Amino acid sequence: PTYIENWPKELILLSFAQIDIPLDRIQTDVLERMIFNEKMGSKTIVKNINIIIPNLQKDIDSFPNGCFVRLGSRSPKDSWYGIENGFRVTNVKDFIGLFCGSERIFEDLFLAKDNDYLPHIYLREWKEIPEWTEFRCFMKNRKLVGISQYHYLENKYFPEIENDKDTIIFCIEKFFNDFKNISHLDDVIFDIYIKMKFKNNESLNEIKLIEINPFLSNTDPCLFDWQKEKDFDGSLRYNKNKEL
């Protein structure tokens, strides 16, 4: 139920502009074999991709600034191709590179096949998202029980969060009032991007929903702790400046 293709339409409107490419069984099986059994970028795989998903390049071209590609389940953020070349997709070769280089995509395609589930590919408008603007939020019984900076490893410190924490909390709580009424799940972990904008000293901030995840212990709690029963206290967690 957390996969994008199973979101209510109202929830999709809270996210980025995107194109949904549902796959049938033949497409799923062939895509799995092609992507993970052939060399990335070979003429054969590009040709076969164009046969299996005939409008892929046309759909990519509909995003003038490029797009980000993913399955409805997870993204290829672990892809070695993306780490080396970037994650902005402008052509079929980029698409193949990201999918070929991702264990997450391989696992989810395999699981979809094993469970007789038909996955979806999503092309999303490309957005430059500074790391400090991503947050992981926790909803339990339709209550906001926690907010954490998303990029927290290696004690990453972002002064923007510390300087604007009150504004960030206000924006997320305002967004949450809509999210909790739209969500088809009572308990869920959702990731968001905040675009901070100011005009004439007025805050005009925008929030986009990135994805939702199960409210389960195998989902990364970021700066919260699944082992501490009362840790989800509704607070905003972020790495503090150790020099202060």
Side-chain angles (χ1 to χ4, degrees):
T2 59
Y3 292 4
I4 298 174
E5 59 265 25
N6 298 317
W7 292 8
K9 291 182 179 179
E10 295 82 2
L11 204 60
I12 291 176
L13 292 176
L14 296 180
S15 192
F16 303 97
Q18 58 191 12
I19 293 176
D20 178 5
I21 305 175
L23 301 177
D24 59 29
R25 175 53 56 212
I26 294 176
Q27 287 175 313
T28 302
D29 292 348
V30 176
L31 184 62
E32 181 191 18
R33 289 198 304 270
M34 283 171 40
I35 290 180
F36 301 104
N37 293 331
E38 296 192 36
K39 292 182 179 179
M40 186 277 294
S42 70
K43 293 181 179 180
T44 302
I45 192 170
V46 171
K47 180 180 179 181
N48 288 341
I49 283 286
N50 289 331
I51 293 173
I52 297 169
I53 311 175
N55 294 317
L56 181 58
Q57 185 61 58
K58 181 180 178 181
D59 288 337
I60 292 173
D61 289 340
S62 67
F63 295 97
N65 296 320
C67 63
F68 182 71
V69 299
R70 57 167 294 158
L71 294 177
S73 54
R74 289 192 295 178
S75 71
K77 65 180 183 181
D78 63 327
S79 173
W80 61 264
Y81 180 91
I83 294 171
E84 292 183 0
N85 302 284
F87 290 88
R88 187 200 302 257
V89 170
T90 59
N91 52 56
V92 173
K93 181 181 177 182
D94 290 337
F95 169 87
I96 294 169
L98 285 180
F99 269 47
C100 276
S102 171
E103 286 297 320
R104 288 157 57 94
I105 296 298
F106 173 77
E107 290 172 0
D108 288 4
L109 283 174
F110 179 82
L111 285 171
K113 180 180 178 180
D114 198 43
N115 289 275
D116 198 29
Y117 183 85
L118 297 179
H120 290 232
I121 293 172
Y122 282 88
L123 310 182
R124 280 183 160 181
E125 64 175 324
W126 178 258
K127 291 288 186 181
E128 295 286 351
I129 301 180
E131 288 188 337
W132 76 268
T133 64
E134 279 192 73
F135 295 88
R136 173 152 287 187
C137 306
F138 303 81
M139 180 175 79
K140 183 70 173 177
N141 295 324
R142 297 193 183 272
K143 294 182 180 180
L144 186 62
V145 297
I147 306 167
S148 174
Q149 72 176 71
Y150 185 82
H151 297 278
Y152 69 96
L153 296 176
E154 300 175 351
N155 292 317
K156 282 191 174 182
Y157 167 71
F158 301 109
E160 296 92 342
I161 296 178
E162 191 148 43
N163 294 337
D164 292 314
K165 59 180 180 294
D166 292 337
T167 300
I168 290 169
I169 293 172
F170 174 81
C171 292
I172 293 177
E173 288 179 342
K174 183 178 179 181
F175 174 86
F176 180 72
N177 286 333
D178 292 327
F179 178 86
K180 69 179 180 180
N181 294 322
I182 294 172
S183 175
H184 55 306
L185 300 169
D186 293 331
D187 306 329
V188 75
I189 296 172
F190 61 99
D191 299 335
I192 59 170
Y193 150 63
I194 300 181
K195 183 177 181 180
M196 306 289 280
K197 299 185 294 185
F198 298 92
K199 184 178 181 180
N200 298 326
N201 294 323
E202 183 180 359
S203 177
L204 303 172
N205 303 307
E206 178 186 27
I207 291 183
K208 290 292 185 181
L209 178 64
I210 298 175
E211 66 179 14
I212 62 177
N213 301 278
F215 198 100
L216 298 172
S217 59
N218 59 349
T219 301
D220 187 348
C222 292
L223 292 173
F224 289 88
D225 189 345
W226 288 117
Q227 303 301 317
K228 297 179 180 179
E229 184 177 350
K230 298 182 179 180
D231 198 45
F232 293 91
D233 57 1
S235 63
L236 166 64
R237 303 278 178 89
Y238 59 93
N239 288 326
K240 306 294 177 63
N241 186 353
K242 292 183 177 181
E243 295 180 0
L244 295 178

Short mmCIF file of all heavy atoms in Angstrom, two decimals, residues 129-173:
data_model
loop_
_atom_site.label_atom_id
_atom_site.label_comp_id
_atom_site.label_asym_id
_atom_site.label_seq_id
_atom_site.Cartn_x
_atom_site.Cartn_y
_atom_site.Cartn_z
N ILE A 129 17.47 19.08 -5.03
CA ILE A 129 17.02 19.07 -3.65
C ILE A 129 18.23 19.13 -2.71
O ILE A 129 18.91 18.11 -2.51
CB ILE A 129 16.18 17.81 -3.36
CG1 ILE A 129 14.96 17.77 -4.29
CG2 ILE A 129 15.74 17.78 -1.90
CD1 ILE A 129 14.08 16.55 -4.08
N PRO A 130 18.52 20.29 -2.15
CA PRO A 130 19.61 20.36 -1.17
C PRO A 130 19.36 19.41 -0.02
O PRO A 130 18.22 19.22 0.42
CB PRO A 130 19.56 21.83 -0.71
CG PRO A 130 18.85 22.56 -1.81
CD PRO A 130 17.86 21.58 -2.37
N GLU A 131 20.40 18.79 0.48
CA GLU A 131 20.24 17.76 1.51
C GLU A 131 19.50 18.26 2.75
O GLU A 131 18.72 17.52 3.36
CB GLU A 131 21.61 17.18 1.90
CG GLU A 131 22.23 16.30 0.82
CD GLU A 131 23.49 15.61 1.31
OE1 GLU A 131 24.11 16.11 2.27
OE2 GLU A 131 23.84 14.56 0.75
N TRP A 132 19.71 19.50 3.12
CA TRP A 132 19.11 19.98 4.36
C TRP A 132 17.60 20.15 4.24
O TRP A 132 16.89 20.26 5.26
CB TRP A 132 19.74 21.29 4.80
CG TRP A 132 19.29 22.51 4.02
CD1 TRP A 132 19.88 23.04 2.91
CD2 TRP A 132 18.18 23.35 4.32
NE1 TRP A 132 19.19 24.15 2.48
CE2 TRP A 132 18.15 24.35 3.32
CE3 TRP A 132 17.19 23.34 5.31
CZ2 TRP A 132 17.16 25.35 3.30
CZ3 TRP A 132 16.22 24.33 5.28
CH2 TRP A 132 16.21 25.32 4.29
N THR A 133 17.05 20.13 3.02
CA THR A 133 15.62 20.37 2.82
C THR A 133 14.79 19.09 2.87
O THR A 133 13.57 19.14 2.72
CB THR A 133 15.37 21.07 1.48
OG1 THR A 133 15.77 20.21 0.40
CG2 THR A 133 16.14 22.37 1.38
N GLU A 134 15.43 17.93 3.07
CA GLU A 134 14.71 16.66 3.14
C GLU A 134 14.48 16.26 4.59
O GLU A 134 15.40 16.31 5.41
CB GLU A 134 15.48 15.56 2.43
CG GLU A 134 15.31 15.54 0.92
CD GLU A 134 15.86 14.25 0.31
OE1 GLU A 134 15.20 13.21 0.47
OE2 GLU A 134 16.94 14.31 -0.30
N PHE A 135 13.25 15.82 4.86
CA PHE A 135 12.90 15.40 6.22
C PHE A 135 12.09 14.10 6.18
O PHE A 135 11.31 13.87 5.25
CB PHE A 135 12.09 16.49 6.93
CG PHE A 135 12.87 17.75 7.15
CD1 PHE A 135 12.91 18.74 6.18
CD2 PHE A 135 13.59 17.94 8.32
CE1 PHE A 135 13.64 19.91 6.36
CE2 PHE A 135 14.33 19.10 8.51
CZ PHE A 135 14.35 20.09 7.53
N ARG A 136 12.31 13.28 7.18
CA ARG A 136 11.52 12.06 7.36
C ARG A 136 10.56 12.30 8.51
O ARG A 136 10.97 12.67 9.62
CB ARG A 136 12.42 10.86 7.63
CG ARG A 136 11.68 9.58 8.02
CD ARG A 136 12.45 8.35 7.64
NE ARG A 136 12.42 8.13 6.19
CZ ARG A 136 12.91 7.05 5.59
NH1 ARG A 136 13.47 6.08 6.30
NH2 ARG A 136 12.84 6.92 4.27
N CYS A 137 9.27 12.07 8.23
CA CYS A 137 8.22 12.35 9.22
C CYS A 137 7.49 11.06 9.58
O CYS A 137 7.34 10.16 8.74
CB CYS A 137 7.23 13.36 8.66
SG CYS A 137 7.99 14.90 8.07
N PHE A 138 7.01 11.00 10.80
CA PHE A 138 6.42 9.78 11.34
C PHE A 138 4.98 10.04 11.79
O PHE A 138 4.74 10.91 12.63
CB PHE A 138 7.26 9.26 12.52
CG PHE A 138 8.70 9.00 12.16
CD1 PHE A 138 9.62 10.04 12.12
CD2 PHE A 138 9.13 7.72 11.87
CE1 PHE A 138 10.95 9.81 11.78
CE2 PHE A 138 10.46 7.47 11.54
CZ PHE A 138 11.37 8.52 11.49
N MET A 139 4.04 9.30 11.20
CA MET A 139 2.63 9.43 11.58
C MET A 139 2.16 8.12 12.22
O MET A 139 2.26 7.05 11.62
CB MET A 139 1.76 9.74 10.34
CG MET A 139 0.27 9.88 10.69
SD MET A 139 -0.76 10.38 9.27
CE MET A 139 -0.91 8.81 8.39
N LYS A 140 1.64 8.23 13.43
CA LYS A 140 1.11 7.07 14.16
C LYS A 140 -0.31 7.41 14.60
O LYS A 140 -0.53 8.43 15.24
CB LYS A 140 1.98 6.77 15.39
CG LYS A 140 1.54 5.53 16.16
CD LYS A 140 1.82 4.26 15.40
CE LYS A 140 1.53 3.03 16.24
NZ LYS A 140 1.73 1.76 15.49
N ASN A 141 -1.27 6.58 14.20
CA ASN A 141 -2.68 6.84 14.50
C ASN A 141 -3.09 8.24 14.03
O ASN A 141 -3.81 8.95 14.70
CB ASN A 141 -2.95 6.69 16.00
CG ASN A 141 -2.76 5.27 16.47
OD1 ASN A 141 -3.06 4.31 15.76
ND2 ASN A 141 -2.22 5.11 17.68
N ARG A 142 -2.56 8.59 12.87
CA ARG A 142 -2.83 9.89 12.22
C ARG A 142 -2.40 11.08 13.07
O ARG A 142 -2.95 12.17 12.98
CB ARG A 142 -4.31 10.01 11.82
CG ARG A 142 -4.73 8.98 10.78
CD ARG A 142 -6.07 9.26 10.14
NE ARG A 142 -6.41 8.17 9.22
CZ ARG A 142 -6.06 8.11 7.93
NH1 ARG A 142 -5.38 9.10 7.40
NH2 ARG A 142 -6.41 7.08 7.18
N LYS A 143 -1.36 10.85 13.88
CA LYS A 143 -0.75 11.93 14.64
C LYS A 143 0.72 12.04 14.26
O LYS A 143 1.39 11.02 14.05
CB LYS A 143 -0.88 11.68 16.15
CG LYS A 143 -2.31 11.72 16.66
CD LYS A 143 -2.35 11.51 18.17
CE LYS A 143 -3.78 11.55 18.68
NZ LYS A 143 -3.85 11.34 20.16
N LEU A 144 1.21 13.26 14.17
CA LEU A 144 2.61 13.50 13.83
C LEU A 144 3.46 13.26 15.07
O LEU A 144 3.45 14.07 16.00
CB LEU A 144 2.79 14.93 13.31
CG LEU A 144 4.16 15.30 12.76
CD1 LEU A 144 4.53 14.44 11.55
CD2 LEU A 144 4.20 16.78 12.38
N VAL A 145 4.20 12.15 15.08
CA VAL A 145 4.92 11.77 16.30
C VAL A 145 6.43 11.99 16.17
O VAL A 145 7.18 11.66 17.10
CB VAL A 145 4.63 10.30 16.68
CG1 VAL A 145 3.16 10.12 17.00
CG2 VAL A 145 5.07 9.35 15.57
N GLY A 146 6.88 12.54 15.05
CA GLY A 146 8.31 12.80 14.93
C GLY A 146 8.70 13.36 13.57
O GLY A 146 8.06 13.05 12.56
N ILE A 147 9.74 14.19 13.58
CA ILE A 147 10.32 14.75 12.36
C ILE A 147 11.83 14.65 12.50
O ILE A 147 12.38 15.03 13.54
CB ILE A 147 9.93 16.23 12.15
CG1 ILE A 147 8.42 16.43 12.19
CG2 ILE A 147 10.52 16.77 10.85
CD1 ILE A 147 8.02 17.90 12.31
N SER A 148 12.52 14.16 11.47
CA SER A 148 13.97 14.06 11.53
C SER A 148 14.59 14.56 10.23
O SER A 148 14.01 14.40 9.15
CB SER A 148 14.40 12.61 11.75
OG SER A 148 15.81 12.47 11.66
N GLN A 149 15.76 15.19 10.34
CA GLN A 149 16.50 15.48 9.12
C GLN A 149 16.78 14.14 8.44
O GLN A 149 17.06 13.13 9.09
CB GLN A 149 17.79 16.24 9.41
CG GLN A 149 18.91 15.45 10.06
CD GLN A 149 20.19 16.25 10.25
OE1 GLN A 149 20.21 17.14 11.09
NE2 GLN A 149 21.24 15.94 9.51
N TYR A 150 16.70 14.12 7.12
CA TYR A 150 16.83 12.86 6.39
C TYR A 150 18.29 12.44 6.25
O TYR A 150 18.63 11.27 6.45
CB TYR A 150 16.18 13.01 5.02
CG TYR A 150 16.15 11.73 4.21
CD1 TYR A 150 15.15 10.79 4.42
CD2 TYR A 150 17.12 11.47 3.24
CE1 TYR A 150 15.12 9.61 3.70
CE2 TYR A 150 17.09 10.29 2.51
CZ TYR A 150 16.09 9.37 2.74
OH TYR A 150 16.07 8.21 2.02
N HIS A 151 19.14 13.36 5.90
CA HIS A 151 20.57 13.07 5.72
C HIS A 151 21.28 13.33 7.05
O HIS A 151 21.77 14.42 7.31
CB HIS A 151 21.16 13.94 4.60
CG HIS A 151 20.54 13.67 3.26
ND1 HIS A 151 20.92 12.64 2.45
CD2 HIS A 151 19.53 14.31 2.60
CE1 HIS A 151 20.21 12.64 1.34
NE2 HIS A 151 19.35 13.64 1.41
N TYR A 152 21.32 12.31 7.87
CA TYR A 152 21.82 12.47 9.24
C TYR A 152 23.13 11.73 9.50
O TYR A 152 23.78 11.97 10.52
CB TYR A 152 20.76 11.95 10.22
CG TYR A 152 20.59 10.44 10.17
CD1 TYR A 152 21.26 9.61 11.05
CD2 TYR A 152 19.79 9.84 9.20
CE1 TYR A 152 21.12 8.22 11.00
CE2 TYR A 152 19.63 8.47 9.14
CZ TYR A 152 20.30 7.66 10.03
OH TYR A 152 20.16 6.30 9.97
N LEU A 153 23.51 10.81 8.61
CA LEU A 153 24.70 10.00 8.86
C LEU A 153 25.96 10.87 8.89
O LEU A 153 26.00 11.97 8.34
CB LEU A 153 24.83 8.92 7.79
CG LEU A 153 23.69 7.88 7.76
CD1 LEU A 153 23.90 6.92 6.60
CD2 LEU A 153 23.64 7.12 9.08
N GLU A 154 26.98 10.35 9.53
CA GLU A 154 28.25 11.05 9.69
C GLU A 154 28.06 12.39 10.41
O GLU A 154 28.83 13.33 10.23
CB GLU A 154 28.93 11.28 8.33
CG GLU A 154 29.24 9.96 7.60
CD GLU A 154 29.79 10.19 6.21
OE1 GLU A 154 29.77 11.35 5.74
OE2 GLU A 154 30.23 9.20 5.59
N ASN A 155 26.99 12.45 11.22
CA ASN A 155 26.70 13.66 12.00
C ASN A 155 26.63 14.92 11.14
O ASN A 155 27.10 15.99 11.55
CB ASN A 155 27.74 13.84 13.11
CG ASN A 155 27.64 12.77 14.17
OD1 ASN A 155 26.56 12.42 14.61
ND2 ASN A 155 28.78 12.23 14.58
N LYS A 156 26.04 14.77 9.96
CA LYS A 156 25.92 15.93 9.08
C LYS A 156 25.15 17.05 9.78
O LYS A 156 24.06 16.84 10.31
CB LYS A 156 25.20 15.54 7.79
CG LYS A 156 26.09 14.81 6.79
CD LYS A 156 25.41 14.69 5.44
CE LYS A 156 26.38 14.08 4.42
NZ LYS A 156 25.75 13.98 3.07
N TYR A 157 25.75 18.22 9.76
CA TYR A 157 25.14 19.38 10.41
C TYR A 157 24.76 20.41 9.35
O TYR A 157 25.57 20.77 8.50
CB TYR A 157 26.11 20.00 11.43
CG TYR A 157 25.67 21.36 11.90
CD1 TYR A 157 24.56 21.50 12.75
CD2 TYR A 157 26.34 22.51 11.50
CE1 TYR A 157 24.15 22.76 13.18
CE2 TYR A 157 25.94 23.76 11.94
CZ TYR A 157 24.84 23.88 12.77
OH TYR A 157 24.44 25.12 13.19
N PHE A 158 23.50 20.86 9.43
CA PHE A 158 23.02 21.87 8.49
C PHE A 158 22.55 23.08 9.29
O PHE A 158 21.53 23.03 9.97
CB PHE A 158 21.85 21.32 7.66
CG PHE A 158 22.21 20.10 6.85
CD1 PHE A 158 21.70 18.85 7.20
CD2 PHE A 158 23.04 20.20 5.75
CE1 PHE A 158 22.02 17.73 6.45
CE2 PHE A 158 23.37 19.09 5.00
CZ PHE A 158 22.86 17.84 5.35
N PRO A 159 23.30 24.19 9.21
CA PRO A 159 22.88 25.39 9.97
C PRO A 159 21.52 25.90 9.53
O PRO A 159 20.81 26.55 10.32
CB PRO A 159 23.99 26.40 9.65
CG PRO A 159 24.64 25.90 8.39
CD PRO A 159 24.54 24.41 8.45
N GLU A 160 21.12 25.62 8.28
CA GLU A 160 19.82 26.09 7.80
C GLU A 160 18.68 25.52 8.66
O GLU A 160 17.68 26.20 8.92
CB GLU A 160 19.60 25.69 6.34
CG GLU A 160 20.57 26.32 5.36
CD GLU A 160 21.80 25.46 5.12
OE1 GLU A 160 22.07 24.55 5.95
OE2 GLU A 160 22.49 25.69 4.12
N ILE A 161 18.84 24.26 9.09
CA ILE A 161 17.80 23.64 9.91
C ILE A 161 17.75 24.31 11.28
O ILE A 161 16.68 24.67 11.79
CB ILE A 161 18.04 22.13 10.07
CG1 ILE A 161 17.95 21.43 8.71
CG2 ILE A 161 17.03 21.53 11.05
CD1 ILE A 161 18.22 19.93 8.76
N GLU A 162 18.92 24.50 11.87
CA GLU A 162 18.96 25.11 13.20
C GLU A 162 18.43 26.55 13.18
O GLU A 162 17.70 26.98 14.07
CB GLU A 162 20.38 25.08 13.74
CG GLU A 162 20.48 25.43 15.21
CD GLU A 162 21.62 24.69 15.90
OE1 GLU A 162 22.71 24.61 15.32
OE2 GLU A 162 21.38 24.20 17.02
N ASN A 163 18.78 27.28 12.13
CA ASN A 163 18.37 28.68 12.04
C ASN A 163 16.88 28.85 11.74
O ASN A 163 16.28 29.87 12.11
CB ASN A 163 19.19 29.40 10.96
CG ASN A 163 20.66 29.49 11.31
OD1 ASN A 163 21.04 29.42 12.48
ND2 ASN A 163 21.52 29.62 10.31
N ASP A 164 16.30 27.87 11.03
CA ASP A 164 14.90 28.00 10.61
C ASP A 164 14.01 26.90 11.18
O ASP A 164 12.97 26.58 10.61
CB ASP A 164 14.81 27.97 9.07
CG ASP A 164 15.41 29.20 8.43
OD1 ASP A 164 15.12 30.31 8.90
OD2 ASP A 164 16.17 29.06 7.45
N LYS A 165 14.39 26.33 12.31
CA LYS A 165 13.65 25.17 12.83
C LYS A 165 12.19 25.49 13.14
O LYS A 165 11.31 24.65 12.91
CB LYS A 165 14.36 24.62 14.07
CG LYS A 165 14.55 25.56 15.23
CD LYS A 165 15.27 24.85 16.36
CE LYS A 165 15.50 25.75 17.57
NZ LYS A 165 16.44 26.85 17.25
N ASP A 166 11.91 26.68 13.64
CA ASP A 166 10.52 27.03 13.95
C ASP A 166 9.68 27.11 12.68
O ASP A 166 8.53 26.65 12.65
CB ASP A 166 10.45 28.35 14.71
CG ASP A 166 11.05 28.24 16.11
OD1 ASP A 166 11.10 27.11 16.64
OD2 ASP A 166 11.47 29.28 16.66
N THR A 167 10.25 27.71 11.63
CA THR A 167 9.54 27.79 10.35
C THR A 167 9.34 26.42 9.75
O THR A 167 8.27 26.10 9.20
CB THR A 167 10.33 28.67 9.36
OG1 THR A 167 10.47 29.98 9.90
CG2 THR A 167 9.61 28.76 8.02
N ILE A 168 10.36 25.57 9.87
CA ILE A 168 10.27 24.20 9.34
C ILE A 168 9.16 23.42 10.04
O ILE A 168 8.34 22.77 9.39
CB ILE A 168 11.63 23.48 9.50
CG1 ILE A 168 12.66 24.09 8.54
CG2 ILE A 168 11.48 21.98 9.24
CD1 ILE A 168 14.08 23.63 8.79
N ILE A 169 9.11 23.51 11.36
CA ILE A 169 8.06 22.82 12.12
C ILE A 169 6.68 23.33 11.71
O ILE A 169 5.74 22.54 11.50
CB ILE A 169 8.29 22.99 13.63
CG1 ILE A 169 9.56 22.27 14.08
CG2 ILE A 169 7.08 22.48 14.42
CD1 ILE A 169 9.96 22.56 15.51
N PHE A 170 6.54 24.64 11.60
CA PHE A 170 5.26 25.24 11.22
C PHE A 170 4.81 24.74 9.85
O PHE A 170 3.65 24.36 9.67
CB PHE A 170 5.38 26.77 11.22
CG PHE A 170 4.15 27.46 10.70
CD1 PHE A 170 3.04 27.66 11.52
CD2 PHE A 170 4.10 27.92 9.39
CE1 PHE A 170 1.90 28.30 11.04
CE2 PHE A 170 2.97 28.56 8.90
CZ PHE A 170 1.87 28.75 9.72
N CYS A 171 5.74 24.73 8.88
CA CYS A 171 5.40 24.30 7.52
C CYS A 171 5.00 22.83 7.47
O CYS A 171 4.03 22.46 6.79
CB CYS A 171 6.58 24.54 6.59
SG CYS A 171 6.96 26.27 6.29
N ILE A 172 5.75 21.99 8.18
CA ILE A 172 5.45 20.57 8.17
C ILE A 172 4.11 20.29 8.85
O ILE A 172 3.31 19.47 8.37
CB ILE A 172 6.58 19.77 8.83
CG1 ILE A 172 7.85 19.85 7.96
CG2 ILE A 172 6.18 18.31 9.04
CD1 ILE A 172 9.06 19.16 8.55
N GLU A 173 3.84 20.97 9.95
CA GLU A 173 2.57 20.76 10.65
C GLU A 173 1.40 21.21 9.77
O GLU A 173 0.34 20.56 9.75
CB GLU A 173 2.56 21.51 11.97
CG GLU A 173 3.46 20.88 13.02
CD GLU A 173 3.48 21.64 14.33
OE1 GLU A 173 3.07 22.83 14.33
OE2 GLU A 173 3.91 21.06 15.35
#
